[in-house]
Amino acid sequence: MRALTWQGLGDVRVEEVPDPRIVDPTDAIVRVTSTAICGSDLHLYGVLAPYLTPGDIIGHEFMGVVQELGANVSNLSVGDRVVVPFTISCGKCWMCQRGLFSQCETTQVREYDKGASLFGYTSLYGQVPGGQAEYVRVPHADFGPIKVPEGLPDERFLFLSDILPTAWQGVAYADVEPGSTVAILGLGPVGQLAVRCAQEQGAGRVIGVDLVPERLERARRLGAEVIDLGDGDVAHTLKEMTQGRGPDSVVDAVGMEAHGNPVAKRIIAMASRLPKPLAQPAIEKAGIDRLDALHTAIDAVRRGGTVSLSGVYGGAIDPMPLMTMFDKGITMRMGQCNVKRWTADLLEKLVDSDPFGVDDLTTHHLPLEKAPEAYKMFQEKSDGCIKVVLTP
Ligand SMILES: NC(=O)c1ccc[n+]([C@@H]2O[C@H](COP(=O)([O-])OP(=O)(O)OC[C@H]3O[C@@H](n4cnc5c(N)ncnc54)[C@H](O)[C@@H]3O)[C@@H](O)[C@H]2O)c1
Ligand SMILES: [Zn+2]
Ligand SMILES: [Zn+2]
């Protein structure tokens, strides 16, 4: 089959690879009809390179049709249309029973002391072949895949694999209350959906922050007030807009590659280029994140407010303003999305309407063969790119 493989820093290629096969009786093989590129894939393209091996199949946002089933999968039939959550969870263990699907104790990657395995996401997360491919082996298919109705385009349901529940969880973890004010830092695909999720969860005001004009413009169309990162001190502006107090909640939908710290940018780039045995400790033991968005969130949020991190961070000794965090009495929540925890609620809302604006989030539909160009475009945010969907 054809699949997108990681080959090195900033180097992905579509290649011929062996077709996946059923290995465990709880596996399924899914023929992919649509697969998206995520901001998390951009970390693989750069910072997380030391955890990949040339030839790894990447991608974790995909949907398609069930092609083949292991003997113990009775909840699906061949031919079903399914979306597959990017977190691989068993549905039965202690963590899964508590809705903490991204911490599944059956698929945890103990070698690296990490949570649940993820599709297409480095050795830290199980090195499971990903979804930017014609076919995917889906482990724990007796629990994971979400059946979706026929009749609507893939884009209506595709984002249930990751970014829609991620945005929903980011807002839910931000303790949004009816009428409260939420700032969303980063208006990439996750931030765009978070704007709508915040409105849907009852926020009175949503303020979005980014530096890319078309991303700011789309958020404004969705009903958010917006701040351009280029216009100066974001935390100060957020306080000015909220009687000096700061927003009740701040969602960081940016993560470790935030714009705004050239020195950290150079250090990250250097760490990613070191030989593997040196690069991994540099990333795990050193603070390698660009913390601009996170520090803005902590500075801006009102006293007693909540900061929720959807953006991914990786460093172990990143400097944190603990005095401010303590003095302001901030609550912080974070983590990989517990996808299935939110599936039923979200799917119900998607069946006959589009409350989250998923139908027009995709700016570029391209064949899988164009994935290398698509990664570059999404990383550079060129050609008005907000979200890319690839068709194998
Ligand atoms: N927690 C999870 O389960 C989960 C799931 C999916 C994605 N993510 C993470 O969410 C983050 C966003 O993903 P995405 O797909 O929207 O990616 P993206 O890279 O397109 O979006 C990030 C946006 O932040 C903006 N930005 C950069 N620096 C900023 C700053 N200092 N202040 C405000 N905005 C800034 C960029 O211009 C960009 O629009 C990534 O870190 C990704 O890894 C987490
Ligand atoms: Zn993703
Ligand atoms: Zn589990």
Side-chain angles (χ1 to χ4, degrees), residues 39-40 43 162 166 188-190 210-211 215 253-254 259 310 312 335-337:
S40 299
H43 307 319
D162 176 351
T166 291
V190 172
D210 206 296
L211 60 158
R215 295 182 180 207
V254 181
H259 184 87
S310 295
V312 172
Q336 300 282 7
C337 182

Side-chain angles (χ1 to χ4, degrees), residues 16 31 58 67 90 104 108-109 166 233 237 259 276 300 305 367:
E16 195 64 32
R31 176 172 61 78
I58 57 179
Q67 179 85 8
C90 74
C104 173
Q108 271 180 15
V109 185
T166 291
D233 185 339
T237 311
H259 184 87
K276 238 185 215 189

Side-chain angles (χ1 to χ4, degrees), residues 194-218:
V195 168
R196 269 289 153 88
C197 289
Q199 293 160 340
E200 203 54 31
Q201 290 182 35
R205 283 176 81 188
V206 182
I207 307 172
V209 182
D210 206 296
L211 60 158
V212 181
E214 56 274 11
R215 295 182 180 207
L216 290 165
E217 186 44 44
R218 187 177 186 279

Side-chain angles (χ1 to χ4, degrees), residues 88-97 100-108 116 140 143:
I88 304 173
S89 26
C90 74
K92 301 182 188 78
C93 71
W94 195 93
M95 290 290 174
C96 285
Q97 278 171 20
L100 293 166
F101 299 111
S102 63
Q103 310 298 340
C104 173
E105 289 179 336
T106 308
T107 74
Q108 271 180 15
H140 296 285
F143 177 70

Side-chain angles (χ1 to χ4, degrees), residues 47 50 266-275 278-280 282-283 288:
V47 188
R266 277 201 299 279
I267 294 171
I268 293 176
M270 257 159 49
S272 317
R273 283 190 171 79
L274 291 169
L278 297 176
Q280 293 187 351
I283 286 176
I288 54 123

Side-chain angles (χ1 to χ4, degrees), residues 256 258 260-271 287-292:
M256 60 168 117
N261 187 334
V263 176
K265 182 176 180 176
R266 277 201 299 279
I267 294 171
I268 293 176
M270 257 159 49
I288 54 123
D289 301 312
R290 284 187 255 162
L291 296 171
D292 295 77

Side-chain angles (χ1 to χ4, degrees), residues 4 13-14 16 24 28 33 79 108 115 140 159 173 175 234 284 287 289 306 334-335 337 355 380:
L4 186 71
R13 290 180 223 161
V14 179
E16 195 64 32
D24 294 318
T33 53
Q108 271 180 15
H140 296 285
F159 305 127
Y173 280 9
D175 299 331
V234 170
E284 279 158 46
D289 301 312
T306 304
M334 63 194 87
C337 182
E380 291 170 354

Side-chain angles (χ1 to χ4, degrees), residues 73-245:
V73 188
S74 52
N75 52 314
L76 298 173
S77 307
V78 169
D80 280 350
R81 186 185 197 202
V82 291
V83 178
V84 180
F86 78 106
T87 42
I88 304 173
S89 26
C90 74
K92 301 182 188 78
C93 71
W94 195 93
M95 290 290 174
C96 285
Q97 278 171 20
R98 284 157 183 79
L100 293 166
F101 299 111
S102 63
Q103 310 298 340
C104 173
E105 289 179 336
T106 308
T107 74
Q108 271 180 15
V109 185
R110 293 193 164 77
E111 185 190 349
Y112 288 100
D113 197 19
K114 289 288 171 291
S117 297
L118 310 176
F119 285 99
Y121 217 76
T122 78
S123 48
L124 290 176
Y125 289 101
Q127 207 170 26
V128 183
Q132 288 163 1
E134 283 183 284
Y135 297 92
V136 188
R137 170 184 164 238
V138 177
H140 296 285
D142 55 337
F143 177 70
I146 304 157
K147 273 199 252 189
V148 297
E150 304 286 343
L152 287 159
D154 277 4
E155 283 73 14
R156 178 64 69 85
F157 302 112
L158 175 59
F159 305 127
L160 285 170
S161 57
D162 176 351
I163 55 171
L164 180 54
T166 291
W168 188 262
Q169 173 174 304
V171 172
Y173 280 9
D175 299 331
V176 173
E177 284 176 6
S180 68
T181 299
V182 187
I184 314 276
L185 308 183
L187 296 168
V190 172
Q192 296 287 333
L193 295 177
V195 168
R196 269 289 153 88
C197 289
Q199 293 160 340
E200 203 54 31
Q201 290 182 35
R205 283 176 81 188
V206 182
I207 307 172
V209 182
D210 206 296
L211 60 158
V212 181
E214 56 274 11
R215 295 182 180 207
L216 290 165
E217 186 44 44
R218 187 177 186 279
R220 191 184 284 121
R221 277 205 310 279
L222 296 177
E225 298 161 67
V226 297
I227 301 174
D228 189 329
L229 191 63
D231 287 347
D233 185 339
V234 170
H236 180 76
T237 311
L238 281 168
K239 287 178 195 165
E240 269 186 353
M241 290 168 79
T242 49
Q243 293 90 45
R245 203 174 282 137

